[in-house]
Amino acid sequence: KVAAGDVIQMLNIGGVLGICDSANPEKGRPFDCRVLGVVLHFPYLGERIGVPARAGMRKLDYGAPVATNGVPVVALAGSCMEAGKTAAACAMISRMRHRGLTIDAFKATGVSLRRDILAMEDSGARRTSIFTDFGVVTTTAKNGPALTRTMLTEMAAGKPDVIVFELGDGILGAYGVEAILDAPDIRASLTAVVLSANDPVAAWGGVKLLRERFKVEPAVVTGPATDNSVGVDIIRDQLGVPAFNALTSGAALGDCVISAVGLDSVAHSGEIVE
């Protein structure tokens, strides 16, 4: 609980406030904020009657099943935070849209930051969602799987050609990615998993984790590990996985994923004719 006069911290650029118990040396300590009162929402048109605001107006159903109804699903997992997952998602969505596909997208884990799904919309996603819509500010191993099931089912109900979703944080982390990949029903709904890694060693470890712990064969590796041809060659030769850089080879990355989920026959060629 908080009361007027309490001092709490600004925990991320998405506006999440709370108690900081560990600061990243590179980022420095977060700003202190003094609580003045509760944020109000004014739901009654023409009346100044405020009620305490909520992060999400919908309640998460922890028992909801997952039903993708045959819609291909692409999941992006990373070796850590800031491994290029959102950039890769946007590159893939842009290429898919260019090839005539309808894409719905969401972010399943992390700390509330709507910027990422707005970037996916800018890249061509028809509809997006984020866990904050369900009143969850920060995901955990407890709520991560339920959120993923719910958003997969809701996105699939709209009958897109493909669903793309990002797993914020790394495969090993505190936001629930492991719990999601550990869930057999969610794993069975994934058509392709894209790994974003910061360097070749992270790519090696990420591929090994996906294969040995989660029994998932990654469709492609991207991220800073593919920033140069040396990293790409190491991943392709030593790991046996395709590798493309999202920034310099976004179209090739998108085409690789389109093929991996079996949508080549649905998408048009994507060639630009002048």
Side-chain angles (χ1 to χ4, degrees):
K1 65 180 182 179
V2 293
D6 286 350
V7 175
I8 56 179
Q9 286 79 47
M10 179 70 72
L11 300 180
N12 81 333
I13 62 174
V16 175
L17 296 163
I19 304 298
C20 176
D21 58 11
S22 177
N24 188 317
E26 291 185 357
K27 306 293 185 183
R29 285 199 55 80
F31 294 113
D32 287 336
C33 302
R34 189 176 302 278
V35 177
L36 300 179
V38 67
V39 176
L40 296 180
H41 170 57
F42 295 88
Y44 309 110
L45 183 64
E47 295 187 21
R48 297 291 294 172
I49 301 174
V51 298
R54 297 175 58 88
M57 298 305 292
R58 302 170 59 189
K59 186 177 180 179
L60 176 64
D61 181 2
Y62 281 84
V66 60
T68 57
N69 298 321
V71 176
V73 177
V74 179
L76 287 104
S79 58
C80 63
M81 291 183 181
E82 299 182 5
K85 296 182 294 296
T86 304
C90 291
M92 292 189 304
I93 291 169
S94 178
R95 182 58 174 173
M96 290 171 174
R97 189 71 198 98
H98 181 71
R99 293 189 59 180
L101 299 175
T102 299
I103 312 100
D104 288 346
F106 67 90
K107 188 168 182 179
T109 61
V111 182
S112 300
L113 181 59
R114 198 165 291 271
R115 178 186 65 184
D116 293 343
I117 62 169
L118 293 177
M120 296 177 193
E121 289 183 18
D122 288 342
S123 298
R126 177 186 65 176
R127 190 163 62 114
T128 61
S129 182
I130 190 171
F131 49 86
T132 319
D133 297 336
F134 299 89
V136 176
V137 176
T138 304
T139 61
T140 64
K142 179 181 178 181
N143 57 35
L147 286 162
T148 304
R149 292 185 184 99
T150 299
M151 287 189 278
L152 277 173
T153 300
E154 290 201 357
M155 290 296 179
K159 298 181 179 179
D161 293 313
V162 60
I163 297 169
V164 175
F165 77 94
E166 177 186 339
L167 292 159
D169 195 20
I171 298 174
L172 299 178
Y175 293 127
V177 177
E178 290 176 81
I180 291 168
L181 294 176
D182 264 332
D185 57 338
I186 297 177
R187 227 172 29 241
S189 71
L190 304 181
T191 315
V193 174
V194 176
L195 174 66
S196 192
N198 266 340
D199 57 68
V201 175
W204 181 87
V207 169
K208 185 178 177 67
L209 267 174
L210 289 172
R211 285 173 172 169
E212 298 182 5
R213 177 167 177 178
F214 303 111
K215 309 304 178 187
V216 170
E217 179 61 28
V220 61
V221 173
T222 186
T226 64
D227 279 354
N228 55 58
S229 60
V230 174
V232 171
D233 291 343
I234 290 173
I235 293 166
R236 290 176 177 173
D237 296 341
Q238 297 194 28
L239 304 180
V241 182
F244 297 97
N245 187 269
L247 301 181
T248 59
S249 304
L253 173 63
D255 288 341
C256 178
V257 175
I258 289 170
S259 295
V261 298
L263 288 176
D264 270 327
S265 60
V266 179
H268 61 64
S269 67
E271 296 177 353
I272 299 175
V273 179
E274 294 185 2

